[in-house]
Amino acid sequence: MKKGVCLVGDVVGLVLAAGGGRRLGGRAKARLVHRGRPLVEFAVAESRRGGCDRVVVVLGAEADAVLAEAELTGCVVVRNDDWASGMGSSLAAGVAALPGDADAVVVTLVDMPGVGAAAVARLIAAHAAPEDLIAAAYAGRRGHPVLFGRAWWAELAAGAEGDAGARALLAEQRDRVRLIECADIADPFDIDTPADLDRLDP
């Protein structure tokens, strides 16, 4: 078994990177530059460093440009033509593309570069069963990333609508969600407005 992979089976990374950056003036977030590379490429690398040998990436806005600029070799790339309807459609498309032999998925968002490999690894280390629901927490408040055991995948995809993503499922199952504190290893800011661009490291 490879280092960083849970003994119960593979944990796959799912990077949601389809957004069009409406509040950024229509700049696709996946194309923003962080540490010299497109943000989506950085997110994939962090998922891999955290222990996800396989990564699914969902693209939407400016997908052709993203593919031309970002090095995504080895990823399963999913195009979500309905990306403008909200994160839910991207989540559903990504879950549908998950490999059937995996036991869990760690979902990360492309616009949160402060949440990287260490947080992914901490969630994977806590994973023990297909029924797991595990979320990073910051000062006790649930955040990203989130690990979903395969027992939840069908329900996760079915309930993914609009911009809510997995929010409804996590709220409904709040008593089963295990929070793993990550404030010491991650910063859950997101890149949402032009003022946030200063938080990227070009």
Side-chain angles (χ1 to χ4, degrees):
M1 188 65 65
K2 295 182 180 180
K3 183 178 180 181
V5 178
C6 182
L7 294 177
V8 298
D10 282 346
V11 178
V12 179
L14 173 54
V15 177
L16 301 183
R22 178 176 52 83
R23 297 178 65 190
L24 282 169
R27 301 171 63 183
K29 293 183 179 183
R31 298 181 66 194
L32 297 175
V33 176
H34 183 58
R35 298 183 183 175
R37 299 302 303 161
L39 202 51
V40 65
E41 187 177 319
F42 174 80
V44 167
E46 290 300 288
S47 290
R48 286 176 171 154
R49 286 203 314 118
C52 299
D53 288 336
R54 295 181 287 181
V55 180
V56 175
V57 181
V58 181
L59 301 180
E62 303 178 57
D64 289 338
V66 174
L67 289 170
E69 295 168 1
E71 174 55 62
L72 301 178
T73 300
C75 295
V76 173
V77 177
V78 178
R79 288 176 180 252
N80 175 23
D81 293 332
D82 193 32
W83 62 268
S85 67
M87 187 190 303
S89 64
S90 293
L91 179 59
V95 171
L98 295 176
D101 60 343
D103 281 342
V105 60
V106 176
V107 180
T108 59
L109 306 182
V110 75
D111 64 351
M112 300 184 74
V115 177
V120 172
R122 189 168 285 184
L123 265 59
I124 291 177
H127 169 48
E131 298 77 23
D132 282 339
L133 286 173
I134 306 172
Y138 301 89
R141 183 175 181 179
R142 191 185 77 230
H144 293 280
V146 183
L147 181 148
F148 298 89
R150 65 173 300 108
W152 297 101
W153 290 2
E155 189 172 346
L156 177 62
E161 298 179 349
D163 278 321
R167 196 176 305 148
L169 173 61
L170 294 172
E172 181 180 331
Q173 301 295 334
R174 64 173 57 87
D175 292 339
R176 301 188 63 165
V177 177
R178 189 156 26 123
L179 298 181
I180 304 295
E181 187 60 45
C182 290
D184 59 318
I185 55 171
D187 187 344
F189 68 88
D190 60 3
I191 305 300
D192 198 32
T193 69
D196 299 325
L197 295 174
D198 290 340
R199 308 201 71 167
L200 294 175
D201 180 7

